[in-house]
Amino acid sequence: MTTTKKRKQVTEFVTKKADDRFINMVYAMMQEYAAALKPLTEEEFLEQFNESVADIKAGRVVSHEKLKNKFSAK
């Protein structure tokens, strides 16, 4: 199921069926998740970017097509 479909189902459930207990649980989980998000500093971003460029130059990559075929075969 796609994220868009999941989001729609969650939204419908929250707006039509969820009670206070469920809303409180989801809200607490959302707060924990949001607190764990930490944006990259410019230095961290550039470091990851440079590592990615090095991986590409060294051939340590897999094409989207190969990856898609690998997972669709299962």
Side-chain angles (χ1 to χ4, degrees), residues 10 13-15 17-29:
V10 168
F13 184 84
V14 167
T15 56
K17 298 177 182 176
D19 61 4
D20 286 345
R21 181 173 173 251
F22 183 83
I23 296 294
N24 288 334
M25 287 189 309
V26 171
Y27 184 75
M29 186 172 55

Side-chain angles (χ1 to χ4, degrees), residues 1-49:
M1 181 181 301
T2 67
T3 300
T4 303
K5 287 181 182 179
K6 290 176 188 174
R7 182 176 286 124
K8 183 178 178 186
Q9 286 186 354
V10 168
T11 301
E12 287 176 5
F13 184 84
V14 167
T15 56
K16 295 177 182 177
K17 298 177 182 176
D19 61 4
D20 286 345
R21 181 173 173 251
F22 183 83
I23 296 294
N24 288 334
M25 287 189 309
V26 171
Y27 184 75
M29 186 172 55
M30 180 191 71
Q31 287 181 312
E32 288 292 320
Y33 184 82
L37 295 177
K38 178 186 158 231
L40 294 176
T41 65
E42 185 175 348
E43 182 179 292
E44 291 168 329
F45 170 78
L46 290 173
E47 181 180 335
Q48 288 186 13
F49 175 78

